[in-house]
Amino acid sequence: MDSQNWIDLAQDADTGIETLRAHFKGHAYDPHWHDSYLVGITEQGVQQFNCRRTKHQSTPGKVFLLEPGDIHDGDAPTEGGFTYRMLYLDPVWIERELGALFEDAPLNSQLSFANTLITDPQLMQATQMAFQTLHGGELKIVRQTALDNLLGQLTRHLHWRTRYGADPRLPLVAQKARDYLHAHAHQDIGLEQVAAATGVDRFRLTRAFKAAYGLAPHAYLVQLRLAKARRLLASGEQPAAVAMELGFSDQSHLGRWFVRAYGLTPAMYRNRCSNLPDMTVGKH
């Protein structure tokens, strides 16, 4: 590979989804196809490719969508080359997840992309978030939420989705889910377990929870863990031990969430905790 080109490839252990971030100058790759669905965004530059007998130019802000078997190539028509992010979604995984995410999804659900290159800010944001959470090895429930949102955006205009109506079970769902999160806050739970405990699909679960509490279930669970982290740090435990005890992949992972919530690192909080007000999430 040319020294100006680079590829950063990872695979999510739970889903098998591959995440790719790469940069190319000049010729990128010859015509080829994949047996996966490809959902990607161009970060920088112009990504030019031929697909479905049309020449496309993807620029930042656009989302490119390829189905299994779509033959495509790639090159950089401009001086600086291009950088892009891509998710490779297995068709078997998609069928299974759509059935779990939407209980009203038709059997043998698969995606069909009318356009290879589209401008859709919501889908672009969902693609970006799914890539970041998978590539960065986020908590299981955070990764699953991002993927659910991506599938929700990809199916937003399908006929069966537009008919997805209200559900009389929803008023109790949020309360049941909240109780479940409090009872299992120390475990690496997934959305499917919370959905099973409440008796609805994941889409309805997330919608009901956000309506009731203003946060998605994954964000609420993170806040529960951070509240516990504050208590452990205040009692003198080391950040690395706290991260391990609360299910964060490592100390830096805990640190990123902690700084976003409280504006300082776990170590700084441990040193100064007596000067901070109590902002823990309590169960009322």
Side-chain angles (χ1 to χ4, degrees), residues 54-264:
T54 303
K55 179 174 285 188
H56 303 276
Q57 288 194 335
S58 177
T59 51
K62 295 182 179 180
V63 183
F64 48 93
L65 305 164
L66 282 76
E67 296 178 30
D70 276 346
I71 297 174
H72 59 287
D73 57 10
D75 71 273
T78 55
E79 181 75 20
F82 65 88
T83 310
Y84 72 104
R85 299 181 176 202
M86 183 86 82
L87 297 160
Y88 297 83
L89 309 176
D90 178 66
V92 175
W93 176 85
I94 286 179
E95 181 178 340
R96 184 180 70 242
E97 291 302 297
L98 285 181
L101 177 57
F102 302 105
E103 64 184 8
D104 294 347
L107 295 175
N108 305 314
S109 292
Q110 286 296 335
L111 301 178
S112 180
F113 301 140
N115 298 298
T116 303
L117 191 63
I118 63 173
T119 301
D120 183 334
Q122 290 177 284
L123 178 57
M124 185 193 70
Q125 187 175 23
T127 303
Q128 176 89 318
M129 188 59 65
F131 180 93
Q132 288 177 349
T133 57
L134 265 68
H135 208 70
E138 276 291 0
L139 298 171
K140 180 179 180 179
I141 198 169
V142 176
R143 285 178 280 133
Q144 192 171 42
T145 300
L147 288 171
D148 281 359
N149 186 37
L150 176 62
L151 290 174
Q153 293 300 323
L154 288 171
T155 60
R156 191 167 77 241
H157 302 298
L158 297 182
H159 178 61
W160 60 267
R161 272 294 313 279
T162 62
R163 294 166 54 245
Y164 222 75
D167 189 317
R169 296 170 291 180
L170 294 188
L172 284 176
V173 162
Q175 184 179 337
K176 287 182 181 177
R178 186 171 179 269
D179 290 344
Y180 187 91
L181 291 174
H182 276 272
H184 300 271
H186 60 292
Q187 298 173 1
D188 189 19
I189 56 175
L191 277 175
E192 74 277 3
Q193 291 156 277
V194 187
T198 59
V200 297
D201 61 37
R202 298 200 304 260
F203 180 77
R204 289 184 171 101
L205 162 68
T206 299
R207 186 172 60 176
F209 201 93
K210 288 176 75 172
Y213 301 115
L215 290 174
H218 78 280
Y220 190 90
L221 179 63
V222 169
Q223 292 305 311
L224 284 178
R225 290 188 176 190
L226 289 177
K228 176 71 170 174
R230 285 169 64 95
R231 291 193 291 271
L232 294 173
L233 291 165
S235 70
E237 287 202 33
Q238 293 290 340
V242 172
M244 181 176 297
E245 181 172 341
L246 297 180
F248 292 96
S249 57
D250 53 34
Q251 182 177 337
S252 64
H253 193 189
L254 166 64
R256 286 199 302 274
W257 283 105
F258 204 92
V259 169
R260 283 164 60 178
Y262 305 128
L264 73 173

